[in-house]
Amino acid sequence: MNLNEAQLLQAYRKMRQIRAFEDRVHDEFATGEIPGFVHLYAGEEASAVGFCMHLNDEDRIASTHRGHGHCIAKGVEIKGMMSEIYGRRNGTCAGKGGSMHIADLEKGMMGANGIVGAGPPLICGAGLAAKFRKNGGVAIAFVGDGGSNQGTTLESLNLATVWNLPCIFVAENNGYAESTGSKWSVSCENIADRAAAFGMPGVVVDGHDFFAVYEVAGEAIKRAREGGGPTLIECKLNRYYGHFEGDAQTYRGVDEVKKVKESKDCLMLFSKRVTEQGLLTQAQLDAIDKEVAAEIEASVAHAKSSAKPTSADLMTDVYVSYP
Amino acid sequence: MARELTFKDAINEALAQEMARDETVIAMGEDNVGGMGAEGEIDAWGGVLGVTKGLHAQVGDRIMDTPITESAFIGAAAGAAACGMRPVAELMFIDFMGVCFDQIFNQAAKFKYMFGGKAETPLVVRTMIGAGLRAASQHSQCLYPVFTHIPGLKVVIPSNPYDAKGLMIQSIRDNDPVIFCEHKSLYGLKGDVPEGSYAIPFNEANVVREGGDVTVVAMGMMVHKAMEAASALAKEGIQCEVIDPRTTSPLDLETIIESVENTGRLVVVDESNPRCSMAADISAQVTEQAFGSLRGPVKMVTAPHCPPPFSDVLEDLYIPSPEKIAEAVRALK
Ligand SMILES: Cc1ncc(C[n+]2csc(CCOP(=O)(O)OP(=O)(O)O)c2C)c(N)n1
Ligand SMILES: [Mg+2]
């Protein structure tokens, strides 16, 4: 493993930021102050961070409706995200997008997305642009197990191979699309098995294990950067909360989430490994936890005290120019 | 006998009764049952907002879940409709039409004509429309004008539980493809609904309120906003005739024109964006056919020409309000 101390601290910090952000949004949503549809990424942190740790601002990612984790992993500012979720004018998207549409193109984050399966075609375009612009960039589409069944996703896999694009398709298989089990909705055993049909490597990885994800991601990203074409990677993981906030989750097995949390929580696995191997100390991790808690607290306070958009904002930014 | 039902339960009852009556009626959609391939409860969702809840226990496998693959399953519904079934397919949000539109407008809508009259495609696409839930740009649109534009499609927009049941039953029995638009803010609305089965014919507008001063045409959620405006205006001595067309294709223009001949004034309220909207369409048709009866310009009250925004302040400005409707009416008096 080629991660130095600073990188390990960074990986832990990102995963902790995502977890703390999502736990807090969950609590705040329950108070009724957060409007709209909110889908939380808690439990899946190792996937977003394992991939995005390899990326720079020139690299692009496209996310899903469950986008907060990908945003944070790609470097989108937390304060702006929280303000956006609260519908404030100083939010990442000026309060016009909300949780499902957070995007920050300067950070290479092409948007959370309200349309399941919309990311992969866009990521083919990002890969194509990187190829033409010869900037060495790669492009990663995150989709869910549900999104992996969408025609747009399957068409993109084909296109990426045909055009030999520097793209990676990450299927985050958390077992469910809304209430529907991926065991039922996905026609083959592993989503990654489909890679063979599209002439690209397919890899299954334990999405709870940051180090495993990081390694698999690194290989695929290296290959893509060197012109070796696309890869399909399936991360098997779990979501800790409901499909969206307010989901009663009666489709889930008893203690399902509890068991996962106790046995393979990604933050727990990471902490255990780095402390046991003497790579980081518990004190270092605790310090990050504290800093992150304060950061999230401040982002909520900042969001709540920030102004909402005004009527003057309604008609702006529909076009670049329009007579 | 009538009893109170919510808009949501009225649709559920229509589906249940039609599925019991006719074995060829099948229903499908993402999480229409819910819990497939999962360890917990089956029928865990019954649709994302619970419209199809409980149907699985009544009709078994004739209500089906689908993977997230609208192009394939809406297309499959169209194909099955052309092969003797009567599918009711759910396109969860009308905003998702982009994913599957070809199967609707180039396929289902055109079979009858293109095949020289030989095909029938009794397909129903149930879909949610409308703003108000802070669901932002991709989950709040009122795209029914796009469907209304397409010859071969019928478009239904119920505004109350009674109409929802009767129009759903008609939609299922109808032999053409029907886009059935359910405003998500109406699901909780209660109203009298007969227990027995009844169909409301298409092309029959409902005069929701009679009045001699100004004709106000509105559909879906906007009927309620128009009624609010009408109550406020009545206190000022202005009597509105509020008309709910209930179907935008076919459109009962006759009822609207009859009213305009009496009032001489028309306001059309439409939650969709203004360009090529139902407001623009109805205004144009009335102007063309009843110009002589109009005593002033036709007024349109619509959402503005921008996507539905997320922030509550902006979304409230986006949705046509009773105040804006009243203002438009006053401007004509
Ligand atoms: C085209 C489209 N179809 C359906 C939906 C409704 N929807 C939103 S999320 C979701 C489930 C997605 O499941 P998955 O891809 O596994 O992602 P997860 O929620 O598990 O992260 C569905 C059906 C949508 N937003 N867009
Ligand atoms: Mg999933």
Side-chain angles (χ1 to χ4, degrees), chain B residues 8 22 49-50 67 82 85 88 96 133 185 200 202 206 212-213 227 231 248 254 263 266 279 309 317 332:
Chain B
K8 171 159 78 175
D22 180 351
L49 295 181
M85 303 301 289
V88 181
F96 307 164
L133 297 197
S185 300
I200 299 174
F202 294 164
N206 184 20
D213 296 327
M227 288 297 282
S231 302
T248 60
E254 217 177 287
T263 62
L266 175 63
L317 288 166
L332 288 180

Side-chain angles (χ1 to χ4, degrees), chain A residues 144-146 172 174-177:
Chain A
D145 45 284
E172 296 182 320
N174 59 11
Y176 299 97

Side-chain angles (χ1 to χ4, degrees), chain A residues 65-66 114 116 144-147 174 176-178 243, chain B residues 30 68 70 96:
Chain A
H65 53 286
R66 200 174 301 290
V116 171
D145 45 284
N174 59 11
Y176 299 97
E178 297 189 336
H243 169 66
Chain B
E30 290 150 18
I68 306 172
E70 288 87 2
F96 307 164

Side-chain angles (χ1 to χ4, degrees), chain A residues 17-40:
Chain A
Q17 280 173 328
I18 297 170
R19 177 67 55 85
F21 189 95
E22 299 296 58
D23 285 348
R24 185 60 183 266
V25 171
H26 173 79
D27 292 344
E28 294 292 329
F29 191 92
T31 70
E33 262 195 84
I34 294 178
F37 298 153
V38 172
H39 310 80
L40 300 178

Side-chain angles (χ1 to χ4, degrees), chain A:
Chain A
M1 185 194 57
N2 54 356
L3 287 155
N4 61 31
E5 185 178 339
Q7 287 171 314
L8 287 171
L9 289 169
Q10 170 76 348
Y12 182 79
R13 180 182 298 275
K14 286 282 178 202
M15 292 200 291
R16 179 57 72 196
Q17 280 173 328
I18 297 170
R19 177 67 55 85
F21 189 95
E22 299 296 58
D23 285 348
R24 185 60 183 266
V25 171
H26 173 79
D27 292 344
E28 294 292 329
F29 191 92
T31 70
E33 262 195 84
I34 294 178
F37 298 153
V38 172
H39 310 80
L40 300 178
Y41 192 72
E44 309 187 17
E45 294 86 350
S47 171
V49 178
F51 279 91
C52 292
M53 281 287 290
H54 293 280
L55 306 182
N56 57 57
D57 287 355
E58 278 297 322
D59 297 322
R60 309 294 154 119
I61 66 165
S63 176
T64 68
H65 53 286
R66 200 174 301 290
H68 304 166
H70 303 128
C71 287
I72 292 175
K74 195 70 175 67
V76 181
E77 205 216 339
I78 283 178
K79 255 188 177 173
M81 288 178 60
M82 196 62 90
S83 280
E84 186 60 36
I85 289 167
Y86 274 88
R88 306 300 157 139
R89 195 169 193 274
N90 59 1
T92 319
C93 303
K96 285 179 171 169
S99 166
M100 260 191 303
H101 305 296
I102 301 178
D104 187 346
L105 294 162
E106 278 171 23
K107 297 285 183 193
M109 166 57 193
M110 294 177 63
N113 211 310
I115 304 297
V116 171
L122 298 172
I123 268 329
C124 285
L128 189 67
K131 224 175 138 170
F132 273 112
R133 299 175 69 192
K134 298 188 175 53
N135 62 8
V138 296
I140 300 184
F142 292 94
V143 294
D145 45 284
S148 82
N149 297 321
Q150 192 65 288
T152 47
T153 302
L154 301 168
E155 292 172 27
S156 299
L157 291 173
N158 187 62
L159 185 64
T161 295
V162 169
W163 279 353
N164 191 36
L165 297 173
C167 294
I168 290 102
F169 300 91
V170 182
E172 296 182 320
N173 186 348
N174 59 11
Y176 299 97
E178 297 189 336
S179 74
T180 298
S182 59
K183 285 196 192 90
W184 180 83
S185 74
V186 176
S187 55
C188 44
E189 182 157 341
N190 301 300
I191 295 167
D193 296 346
R194 291 174 175 167
F198 296 102
M200 68 177 75
V203 187
V204 178
V205 63
D206 177 359
H208 302 97
D209 180 350
F210 166 80
F211 295 99
V213 174
Y214 182 81
E215 192 180 325
V216 164
E219 282 166 25
I221 290 168
K222 182 165 179 282
R223 182 164 54 244
R225 278 200 210 288
E226 291 169 353
T231 305
L232 171 61
I233 298 167
E234 176 179 6
C235 292
K236 307 251 193 207
L237 32 70
N238 294 79
R239 71 163 144 79
Y240 285 177
Y241 292 114
H243 169 66
F244 49 36
E245 289 309 280
D247 175 7
Q249 302 186 70
T250 58
Y251 50 88
R252 285 190 122 157
V254 206
D255 287 345
E256 187 183 303
V257 175
K258 188 165 166 265
K259 280 183 213 148
V260 174
K261 280 185 180 169
E262 285 168 5
S263 63
K264 45 188 178 182
D265 176 76
C266 61
L267 281 151
M268 184 185 81
L269 293 183
F270 183 99
S271 306
K272 196 156 173 270
R273 172 144 169 198
V274 293
T275 51
E276 277 178 10
Q277 297 189 355
L279 302 167
L280 299 175
T281 65
Q282 191 58 47
Q284 282 175 301
L285 301 180
D286 292 346
I288 289 178
D289 290 355
K290 245 178 113 176
E291 284 168 29
V292 169
E295 184 183 16
I296 299 300
E297 183 65 43
S299 75
V300 173
H302 174 255
K304 286 186 179 177
S305 64
S306 295
K308 290 187 175 176
T310 68
S311 58
D313 298 315
L314 182 64
M315 298 303 292
T316 58
D317 292 328
V318 182
Y319 298 94
V320 175
S321 69
Y322 200 65

